[in-house]
Amino acid sequence: MSDKKIPKSVIERIPTYLDFLKQIDLNDNQTISSTSLAQALGLGEVQVRKDLNIIAGNGKPKIGYNMKDLINKIKSIIRSNEYTNVIVVGVGHIGQALANYQGFYEKGFIIKGLFDNNKDKIGKVINNNTIKSYEELGGFCINEKVDLAIIAVPLENAQNVCDDLIKYGVKGILNFTNCILNTEHDIKVRNIDIASMLTKLSIEINN
Amino acid sequence: MSDKKIPKSVIERIPTYLDFLKQIDLNDNQTISSTSLAQALGLGEVQVRKDLNIIAGNGKPKIGYNMKDLINKIKSIIRSNEYTNVIVVGVGHIGQALANYQGFYEKGFIIKGLFDNNKDKIGKVINNNTIKSYEELGGFCINEKVDLAIIAVPLENAQNVCDDLIKYGVKGILNFTNCILNTEHDIKVRNIDIASMLTKLSIEINN
DNA sequence: TAGATTGTTAATCGATTAACAATC
DNA sequence: TAGATTGTTAATCGATTAACAATC
């Protein structure tokens, strides 16, 4: 990356910007101002201006930001000019839902493989993906250059799977278990712990 | 609430503390120090001490924190001495996975109702819950005093469902769509946008 | 008493917001 | 030129970390 590091807080907002920009007709609107973006997304307008300056850095006074350019800049930050390969490890209820999830493709992700160690599941087809044996994980990750993996296995297997994925060169993990994954290498991990989300909501309601 | 407001950053960590405390045998260990907690959870020890002070506020020098007391304090913050009723609106792939999710009960949540507007789904039973018609939503929320709801409907219906839920007295919403929900009232919303999570991971990998 | 551990006060850091200058 | 809109610099705010005093 030639550019400076993007602050964590800005990363959090980038998908929101991209989603919104994508849904606007580029023929009708060639530029957009930070003011209108801020209003539509419920953010501060100075914040949006600062974000866009970090992301694209070529707004024009009086005119705003060129939408096409903005979208391309964001896409290049995400590296989503091409599709990114993702695998799902663990095809339980959550794993199945993910395998069927329609939102990935339009955001530039393709589920390339499903893995499970349950013999009854191996070979079954979900949404055009055949469930593979866990033994095939290593070879697959290396051959297909898998960068991102989703862990949706039972809690007790999560750390093992995580260790394996790192070994096989995966660079980012989306973890659906509430296991605190131990990762020494510089791999990126994000956790989605659904029950904890409810817990946090519960606290906020009473806070 | 008689106590002061709990800062947002501390709320984020409370489920982690509780999960960890619960898995320790209370007979073997009656107290725990901030140092050991910090190490186990990969947090700073001063941070843990500050958090626990806000949460419980009765650590004893040389001894640490009484585990039983700590657990009870956290539970009272979550209001999870009793079970909290949750409903799921939208029984697609994600909704079904949630209906089957085993992690809720042990964290004090019970899925009390599943709702969908698809006639083919209404009446079907998932994990002991019969899918109800969307028309029944209002009466159900009011009668059962539902505080928390999970939205897992298609994007285009999300705002409508949200408006209805607010009308029916729901206080917190877990939103699985990538719709930016518009809520004027002081209702708490948390978003789980799975595809955006992958997007953020993608950025971090290249950042 | 001495040492471990807590709680408090001050310093640092990053993110947000405000004020204002630059410019198309 | 005047006005809208950007970008920059400074102020504020909240969270984290560091230093240290209090105490069981």
Side-chain angles (χ1 to χ4, degrees), chain A residues 6-201:
Chain A
I6 298 171
K8 205 168 151 47
S9 56
V10 180
I11 293 177
E12 293 302 313
R13 288 187 289 269
I14 287 179
T16 314
Y17 292 131
L18 184 57
D19 282 349
F20 182 76
L21 292 172
K22 271 183 173 171
Q23 83 182 22
I24 295 174
D25 190 333
L26 290 178
N27 295 319
D28 294 353
N29 309 272
Q30 257 124 53
T31 63
I32 192 164
S33 72
S34 57
T35 323
S36 58
L37 250 176
Q39 185 144 45
L41 301 176
L43 302 170
E45 56 174 294
V46 184
Q47 184 170 71
V48 172
R49 220 169 305 155
K50 218 152 197 178
D51 287 351
L52 296 194
N53 188 251
I54 289 169
I55 292 168
N58 58 353
K60 295 219 176 77
K62 171 109 172 155
I63 294 165
Y65 303 81
N66 179 286
M67 296 235 299
K68 214 167 175 179
D69 178 66
L70 204 48
I71 291 173
N72 284 331
K73 282 274 173 50
I74 295 178
K75 280 190 174 176
S76 87
I77 287 170
I78 306 172
R79 298 270 166 100
S80 81
N81 292 307
E82 297 187 12
Y83 281 89
T84 302
N85 293 338
V86 183
I87 60 169
V88 175
V89 185
V91 193
H93 294 296
I94 295 280
Q96 278 174 53
L98 295 173
N100 282 300
Y101 188 60
Q102 299 306 307
F104 290 137
Y105 189 78
E106 65 187 28
K107 294 218 181 180
F109 301 101
I110 295 180
I111 296 193
K112 271 278 177 165
L114 307 173
F115 295 88
D116 205 296
N117 61 8
N118 180 335
K119 278 170 191 150
D120 296 338
K121 288 180 183 168
I122 295 166
K124 276 182 64 180
V125 178
I126 300 181
N127 199 20
N128 295 322
N129 265 304
T130 307
I131 300 176
K132 295 182 179 62
S133 139
Y134 190 75
E135 274 94 60
E136 299 176 58
L137 182 65
F140 190 90
C141 287
I142 293 163
N143 290 335
E144 300 281 340
K145 294 202 174 105
V146 174
D147 279 346
L148 298 178
I150 300 176
I151 297 183
V153 300
L155 177 61
E156 56 271 25
N157 302 331
Q159 184 63 57
N160 274 339
V161 172
C162 172
D163 294 343
D164 286 342
L165 288 169
I166 294 174
K167 203 161 60 190
Y168 302 143
V170 166
K171 298 199 191 106
I173 290 175
L174 189 54
N175 172 33
F176 272 89
T177 76
N178 79 339
C179 177
I180 300 172
L181 295 177
N182 225 308
T183 57
E184 304 209 348
H185 314 256
D186 80 321
I187 189 165
K188 303 297 175 185
V189 177
R190 281 181 175 254
N191 302 295
I192 296 185
D193 184 345
I194 301 167
S196 288
M197 279 289 200
L198 288 182
T199 302
K200 292 173 196 171
L201 268 179

Side-chain angles (χ1 to χ4, degrees), chain B residues 37-148:
Chain B
L37 251 176
Q39 185 145 47
L41 302 176
L43 301 171
E45 55 174 295
V46 183
Q47 184 171 70
V48 172
R49 221 170 304 158
K50 217 152 198 178
D51 287 352
L52 296 193
N53 189 252
I54 289 169
I55 292 169
N58 58 352
K60 295 219 177 77
K62 171 110 173 152
I63 293 164
Y65 303 81
N66 180 287
M67 295 235 299
K68 215 168 176 178
D69 178 65
L70 203 47
I71 290 172
N72 285 332
K73 283 273 173 53
I74 294 177
K75 281 191 174 175
S76 88
I77 286 170
I78 306 174
R79 297 272 166 99
S80 80
N81 293 307
E82 297 188 12
Y83 280 89
T84 302
N85 293 338
V86 183
I87 59 168
V88 176
V89 185
V91 194
H93 294 296
I94 295 280
Q96 278 175 51
L98 296 172
N100 282 300
Y101 188 62
Q102 299 306 307
F104 290 137
Y105 189 79
E106 65 185 29
K107 293 217 179 178
F109 301 100
I110 294 180
I111 296 193
K112 271 277 175 166
L114 307 174
F115 296 87
D116 205 296
N117 62 6
N118 180 336
K119 279 170 189 148
D120 296 338
K121 287 179 183 169
I122 296 166
K124 275 181 65 180
V125 178
I126 299 182
N127 199 19
N128 295 322
N129 266 304
T130 306
I131 300 176
K132 296 181 179 63
S133 139
Y134 191 75
E135 274 93 61
E136 300 176 58
L137 182 65
F140 190 90
C141 287
I142 293 163
N143 289 335
E144 301 279 341
K145 295 202 174 101
V146 174
D147 280 347
L148 298 179

Side-chain angles (χ1 to χ4, degrees), chain B residues 146-185:
Chain B
V146 174
D147 280 347
L148 298 179
I150 301 177
I151 298 182
V153 300
L155 177 61
E156 56 271 23
N157 302 331
Q159 185 63 57
N160 274 339
V161 172
C162 173
D163 294 343
D164 286 343
L165 289 170
I166 294 174
K167 201 162 61 189
Y168 302 143
V170 165
K171 298 198 191 105
I173 291 175
L174 189 55
N175 172 33
F176 271 88
T177 76
N178 79 339
C179 178
I180 301 172
L181 295 177
N182 226 308
T183 58
E184 304 209 348
H185 313 257

